[in-house]
């Protein structure tokens, strides 16, 4: 009987006019009467379209696999970028805003809490009632992005303490392949330090403005002179003059220069040339160079002035501030009081000396063998009409036969 061999299937491709052809071949051995294989039956079937489709499917599957691998690599790169970003990045899924991503910066912000897989309100309960959850849910519901600057939120840190923080935020809806919103991505950058610093600066600016206004009003109504002088230096840096920046009305009334900022730029040595040769010029320069205040009473003579001043000079940014009071009158009164005190002391000294002299005279008269009497004159109309006994020594008492007490006051 003939021996049948298993068919061998073979796929070959050949080019005919630039067209690829797929052939399915089956070869069957045929035995002759003697049992030997004398013939081979070759069966061919055109499988071009089927094999081309199979190749195309394989190519598409490879492309899909490569695309998925690339997409996964892109996701990993994006996730790594999110993790390294110096901003707070989160991703939320579903209407409950379940965390699917919380990057390293956000983890540090929230104290390292386990967030992924938990709904926002459960994972961060301190956000309730602050409007944050409601705004995120609105992005999910409406599909409209949300952005804000310096958004305030009270966040609990790793110690359990809740602190007020400020963020610049951008929240974007995440859509699926059909365009439906299935999540929300948040990007926020903490600006607490900047906000606190700016608000503190604003508070200080307001306080400074109020302080400056109070200072200005105080200086305007002050009876004492006040001025701010800016240092003037030459090319070598040497101090050569001072220029007025501002002065109050009291200073203007004394020196004859304009009040307020109208005096700005006026040079001191140009307005008062004799100033350089006074003690005050040296004092001004010392305060400017040593940056130490100075207070004293000085007498200024020059440029038509002869005044005593009580002065305080303090260094300011690029110059000095001078407060002065004209104490010329007080100094005159002090000098007069000093003169009167000197006169009183001299009178007391003379009186004491006179008293001592009178005592020596009395002792001498008391012991004198000669009679001695003193009389006080009595006048009427300027003419002496009589005398009154004032003193009688013992010798005179013996001569007149009467005692001092009997004669005292008698005519």
């Amino acid at each position: 009987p003939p021996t049948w061999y298993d068919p061998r299937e073979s796929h070959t491709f050949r080019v005919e006019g630039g067209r690829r052809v797929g052939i399915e071949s089956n070869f069957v051995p045929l035995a002759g009467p003697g049992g030997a294989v004398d013939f081979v039956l070759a069966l061919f079937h055109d499988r071009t379209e089927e094999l081309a489709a199979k190749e195309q499917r394989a190519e598409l599957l490879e492309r899909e696999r490569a695309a998925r691998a690339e997409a996964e690599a892109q996701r990993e790169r994006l996730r790594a970028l999110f993790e390294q970003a110096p901003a707070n990045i989160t991703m939320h899924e579903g209407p409950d805003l379940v965390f699917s991503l919380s990057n390293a910066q956000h983890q540090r912000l929230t104290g390292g809490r386990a967030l992924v897989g938990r709904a926002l309100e459960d994972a961060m309960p301190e956000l309730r009632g602050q409007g944050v959850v409601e705004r995120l849910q609105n992005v999910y519901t409406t599909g409209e992005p949300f952005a804000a600057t310096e958004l305030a939120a009270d966040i609990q840190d790793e110690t359990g303490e809740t602190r007020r923080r400020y963020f610049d935020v951008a929240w974007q809806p995440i859509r699926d392949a059909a365009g439906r919103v299935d999540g929300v991505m948040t990007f926020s950058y903490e600006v607490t330090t900047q906000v606190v610093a700016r608000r503190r600066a604003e508070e200080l600016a307001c306080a400074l403005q109020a302080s400056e206004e109070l200072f200005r009003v105080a200086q305007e109504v002050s009876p004492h002179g006040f001025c701010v002088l800016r240092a003037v230096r030459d090319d070598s840096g040497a101090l050569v003059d001072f220029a007025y920046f501002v002065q109050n009305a009291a200073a203007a009334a004394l020196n004859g220069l304009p009040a307020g900022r109208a005096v700005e730029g006026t040079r001191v040595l140009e307005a008062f040339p004799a100033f350089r040769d006074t003690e005050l010029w040296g004092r001004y320069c010392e305060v400017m160079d040593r940056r130490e205040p100075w207070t004293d009473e000085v007498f200024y003579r020059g440029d038509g002035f002869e005044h005593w001043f009580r002065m305080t000079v303090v260094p300011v940014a690029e110059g000095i501030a001078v407060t002065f009071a004209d104490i010329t009158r007080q100094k005159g009164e002090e000098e007069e009081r000093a003169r009167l005190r000197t006169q009183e002391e001299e009178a007391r000294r003379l009186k004491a000396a006179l008293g001592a002299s009178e005592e020596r005279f009395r002792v001498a008269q008391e012991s004198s063998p000669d009679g001695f009497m003193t009389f006080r004159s009595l006048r009427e109309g300027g003419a002496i009409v009589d005398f009154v006994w004032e003193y009688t020594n013992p010798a005179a008492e013996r001569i007149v036969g009467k005692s001092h007490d009997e004669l005292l006051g008698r005519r």
Side-chain angles (χ1 to χ4, degrees):
T3 300
W4 295 91
Y5 296 90
D6 292 335
R8 305 285 182 177
E9 182 177 324
S10 174
H11 303 284
T12 61
F13 294 89
R14 57 192 176 86
V15 178
E16 292 182 354
R19 185 173 66 89
R20 298 180 70 212
V21 178
I23 302 296
E24 179 181 332
S25 303
N26 289 281
F27 300 93
V28 181
L30 298 177
V37 176
D38 294 329
F39 303 95
V40 174
L41 177 63
L43 302 174
F44 298 96
H45 182 67
D46 187 353
R47 304 292 294 273
T48 302
E49 292 185 1
E50 181 181 344
L51 293 177
K54 186 176 181 180
E55 270 190 353
Q56 187 176 13
R57 283 196 302 273
E59 183 178 352
L60 290 175
L61 288 174
E62 178 60 24
R63 288 181 180 177
E64 182 180 356
R65 185 198 65 76
R68 288 180 177 177
E70 180 61 23
E72 184 62 27
Q74 290 283 3
R75 281 194 294 270
E76 287 302 319
R77 285 193 290 270
L78 189 59
R79 184 178 295 272
L81 180 63
F82 287 168
E83 286 296 325
Q84 298 170 14
N88 305 294
I89 300 176
T90 66
M91 296 179 69
H92 305 266
E93 297 176 349
D96 292 332
L97 303 173
V98 176
F99 278 97
S100 61
L101 171 70
S102 172
N103 75 338
Q105 183 74 13
H106 188 262
Q107 286 297 114
R108 286 191 290 272
L109 172 69
T110 55
R113 282 178 277 181
L115 301 177
V116 175
R118 301 175 61 189
L120 177 61
E121 279 192 312
D122 294 335
M124 300 180 66
E126 70 270 21
L127 293 179
R128 293 171 184 163
Q130 298 189 51
V132 176
V133 176
E134 291 77 7
R135 289 191 180 98
L136 280 168
Q137 288 175 334
N138 186 68
V139 173
Y140 180 86
T141 303
T142 65
E144 296 181 358
F146 173 82
T149 58
E150 299 181 6
L151 180 69
D154 296 332
I155 307 294
Q156 189 178 92
D157 61 19
E158 67 276 2
T159 66
E161 180 182 358
T162 300
R163 295 175 50 208
R164 172 60 56 89
R165 298 173 183 266
Y166 297 89
F167 302 90
D168 290 344
V169 303
W171 300 340
Q172 291 286 338
I174 301 174
R175 300 179 182 274
D176 60 15
R180 294 184 297 267
V181 176
D182 62 358
V184 177
M185 179 178 180
T186 73
F187 178 95
S188 65
Y189 185 77
E190 185 172 1
V191 292
T192 303
T193 302
Q194 295 91 317
V195 171
V196 172
R198 191 195 72 244
R199 292 185 177 180
R200 178 58 178 163
E202 291 172 351
E203 292 173 359
L204 290 175
C206 291
L208 179 60
Q209 183 177 3
S211 176
E212 289 177 344
E213 182 64 17
L214 289 173
F215 179 76
R216 184 190 65 79
V217 172
Q219 291 301 326
E220 286 301 318
V221 301
S222 173
H224 302 315
F226 172 80
C227 63
V228 176
L229 305 177
R230 178 176 54 83
V232 178
R233 299 181 182 274
D234 61 16
D235 294 339
S236 67
L239 186 59
V240 296
D241 203 347
F242 288 92
Y244 280 91
F245 176 72
V246 67
Q247 70 171 358
N248 68 351
L254 182 64
N255 61 29
L257 298 176
R261 294 289 295 275
V263 74
E264 184 175 1
T266 302
R267 296 285 188 92
V268 172
L269 295 181
E270 292 177 359
F272 310 106
F275 187 78
R276 182 183 289 276
D277 300 323
T278 66
E279 176 189 359
L280 282 177
W281 170 257
R283 296 297 187 183
Y284 281 16
C285 293
E286 285 180 6
V287 172
M288 187 64 203
D289 292 337
R290 297 180 182 178
R291 313 306 292 169
E292 295 177 355
W294 170 80
T295 299
D296 204 352
E297 294 179 355
V298 295
F299 182 71
Y300 182 85
R301 178 184 285 113
D303 302 305
F305 294 97
E306 287 191 3
H307 291 269
W308 276 96
F309 295 103
R310 181 181 296 111
M311 306 193 68
T312 297
V313 184
V314 297
V316 293
E318 294 296 330
I320 56 176
V322 183
T323 302
F324 55 94
D326 187 348
I327 58 172
T328 305
R329 180 178 176 181
Q330 295 93 310
K331 277 291 185 180
E333 293 173 350
E334 289 177 4
E335 290 176 356
E336 179 63 19
R337 287 194 294 269
R339 186 184 64 80
L340 292 175
R341 284 195 300 269
T342 301
Q343 289 180 347
E344 290 174 357
E345 290 174 358
E346 181 65 17
R348 284 194 296 269
R349 187 186 64 79
L350 292 174
K351 183 177 180 181
L354 180 60
S357 177
E358 289 177 345
E359 180 63 19
R360 288 193 297 271
F361 179 75
R362 186 190 65 77
V363 171
Q365 293 301 323
E366 288 293 326
S367 60
S368 173
D370 299 324
F372 179 81
M373 294 179 292
T374 60
F375 299 91
R376 176 172 50 85
S377 64
L378 293 177
R379 296 177 181 271
E380 290 182 2
I384 298 175
V385 297
D386 204 345
F387 291 92
V388 178
W389 257 286
E390 289 285 333
Y391 175 75
T392 304
N393 73 345
E397 289 178 344
R398 289 192 296 271
I399 294 172
V400 299
K402 291 181 181 294
S403 67
H404 168 76
D405 293 336
E406 291 176 316
L407 296 173
L408 183 62
R410 296 185 65 182
R411 294 189 177 193

